[in-house]
Amino acid sequence: MRVIILGCGRIGSGLAARLGYAGHHVTVIEPVAAALAHLPEGFRGRTLVGDVLDRRILLEAGIDHQDALTAVTPSDDVNIVAARLARLVFRVPRVVARVYNPRAVEIYRRLGVQTVCTTTWGISRIAELLSYSELEPVASLGSDVDILDVAVPPLLVGRPVSVITVPGEIQVAAISRGGRTFLPQPATRLEAGDLLHLVVLAAATDHLVALLRQ
Amino acid sequence: MRVLIVGGGQVGSYLAGLLLEQGHTVTIIEMHEATAVALRHAMPNVTVVHGNGTDPGVLEMAGIHNANLVAAVTGADPTNLVITSLARFAFNVPRAVARVNNPHNTWMFIPEMGVDLALNQAEVLAHLITRTML
């Protein structure tokens, strides 16, 4: 894939390193020459110093025959304008812009610009981590019962399945262990590395958290 | 006509004055609070909204749904282009004009970016001088 990255801050340089390492042809455009120092040693992509909205620079970067472009400068306005121009003028097939303002995301999506709002993403990720993200349901049966996958916590290794069974609230439906999945008995002992497939009453999630942390 | 001007600096306030004289209804969105307050004192017949004109919520508060024309005349070209894009394509305003600050940016002020008319002070001035004085 041939990809242009606009902006060489933390996200831009990190993306350049990652995509370059994966074998893609990366061109980075950055107005401040010193910012190119963010790129890892041995980065083999192209770098151009200049205004990311300068038509000459964009053409020099080959914007008219790219597979993708991402705009990750610190300015929402610049990122949105660059993304729209890439789509509408240079017909770049895949374009993603980073924005900070969560209120604008939905509107830009409607305008055909795919955005990643680092603010919203960071908020939901941190909230998830703070509230025990391992308990995101993999499926819901109606609105009252969830199916959850949980790695067995170290403190429960060696204990029987019955310790995390609560009649009417929490059932261990299956266990994946060493590449196969089976239905356990109440006396089946949990082993390190087990993945538990639980059927849980949505209202009993707090109870489950307490059991897993015992 | 109902005109929404984004950017209450010298260009925006002068434009507001001209439109008022011609009997139009004018709203200005201005980002800097002190400038917004000064505008309210200087132009009591203009509705002045303090906020960022690229924020869809602020545009709605300023009545963009009812505007016949949006004029994006801030001092930042990318900002003006975001405003015209939102005005024309997200809020379906019939017409949008934009100020070009840096003549090198003229190429971006196109209908696809929501610009029906681009006003380029530097270019107008330069052409006028080369045409009339040389």
Side-chain angles (χ1 to χ4, degrees):
Chain A
M1 177 171 77
R2 301 167 63 89
V3 56
I4 291 179
I5 298 172
L6 304 179
C8 194
R10 288 196 176 86
I11 290 191
S13 59
L15 263 177
R18 178 145 162 191
L19 293 173
Y21 188 71
H24 299 293
H25 296 276
V26 179
T27 303
V28 177
I29 304 178
E30 159 64 44
V32 182
L36 294 173
H38 287 125
L39 290 167
E41 235 172 272
F43 173 69
R44 281 186 297 171
R46 275 180 85 195
T47 55
L48 294 170
V49 175
D51 185 345
V52 302
L53 293 177
D54 184 329
R55 191 164 195 271
R56 269 186 332 192
I57 299 261
L58 290 170
L59 287 172
E60 196 184 328
I63 191 171
D64 45 355
H65 46 271
Q66 294 289 315
D67 301 300
L69 176 143
T70 180
V72 292
T73 79
S75 161
D76 278 11
D77 293 349
V78 168
N79 292 343
I80 290 296
V81 168
R84 278 181 60 79
L85 289 165
R87 291 277 296 146
L88 299 170
V89 177
F90 301 107
R91 308 281 167 201
V92 179
R94 258 190 239 174
V95 176
V96 180
R98 185 269 295 272
V99 298
Y100 289 109
N101 182 0
R103 297 167 73 176
V105 170
E106 171 56 25
I107 282 187
Y108 291 125
R109 202 182 56 73
R110 274 195 274 147
L111 293 185
V113 177
Q114 198 173 2
T115 56
V116 170
C117 181
T118 43
T119 316
T120 310
W121 187 84
I123 290 169
S124 53
R125 185 74 187 118
I126 289 168
E128 253 174 56
L129 290 172
L130 290 175
S131 57
Y132 218 86
S133 68
E134 293 92 320
L135 295 184
E136 283 297 300
V138 293
S140 294
L141 309 174
S143 56
D144 300 320
V145 176
D146 292 330
I147 298 181
L148 305 171
D149 286 352
V150 179
V152 70
L155 289 174
L156 292 181
V157 170
R159 312 279 305 275
V161 160
S162 56
V163 300
I164 42 172
T165 303
V166 180
E169 292 189 8
I170 302 165
Q171 300 260 15
V172 181
I175 296 177
S176 294
R177 176 183 296 168
R180 68 182 206 96
T181 301
F182 61 95
L183 306 186
Q185 306 281 332
T188 303
R189 300 274 164 186
L190 300 173
E191 293 183 8
D194 281 359
L195 181 65
L196 312 178
H197 307 282
L198 306 172
V199 183
V200 181
L201 200 63
T205 311
D206 287 348
H207 196 169
L208 175 64
V209 170
L211 287 174
L212 293 173
R213 285 181 177 164
Q214 66 186 318
Chain B
M1 230 172 47
R2 285 178 298 272
V3 182
L4 174 58
I5 299 173
V6 185
Q10 287 175 356
V11 176
S13 56
Y14 187 71
L15 174 63
L18 282 181
L19 290 168
L20 273 185
E21 275 176 26
Q22 294 174 17
H24 300 293
T25 308
V26 181
T27 301
I28 299 182
I29 298 176
E30 167 56 40
M31 181 171 64
H32 301 290
E33 192 166 12
T35 311
V37 170
L39 275 172
R40 275 189 203 117
H41 283 292
M43 305 186 130
N45 294 327
V46 171
T47 308
V48 180
V49 174
H50 170 226
N52 188 332
T54 59
D55 188 324
V58 172
L59 289 168
E60 281 175 3
M61 204 165 59
I64 193 167
H65 285 296
N66 299 316
N68 304 107
L69 171 72
V70 165
V73 294
T74 79
D77 289 337
T79 303
N80 291 342
L81 289 168
V82 169
I83 292 160
T84 53
S85 293
L86 289 175
R88 292 288 272 120
F89 304 123
F91 294 106
N92 298 315
V93 176
R95 279 170 68 77
V97 302
R99 167 188 178 190
V100 183
N101 293 275
N102 179 348
H104 292 298
N105 288 337
T106 308
W107 71 277
M108 298 187 283
F109 288 72
I110 52 177
E112 288 90 331
M113 299 299 286
V115 180
D116 296 300
L117 177 66
L119 299 167
N120 189 334
Q121 283 167 291
E123 203 174 71
V124 168
L125 207 66
H127 282 196
L128 207 65
I129 291 172
T130 50
R131 226 181 289 152
T132 58
M133 305 299 282
L134 301 179

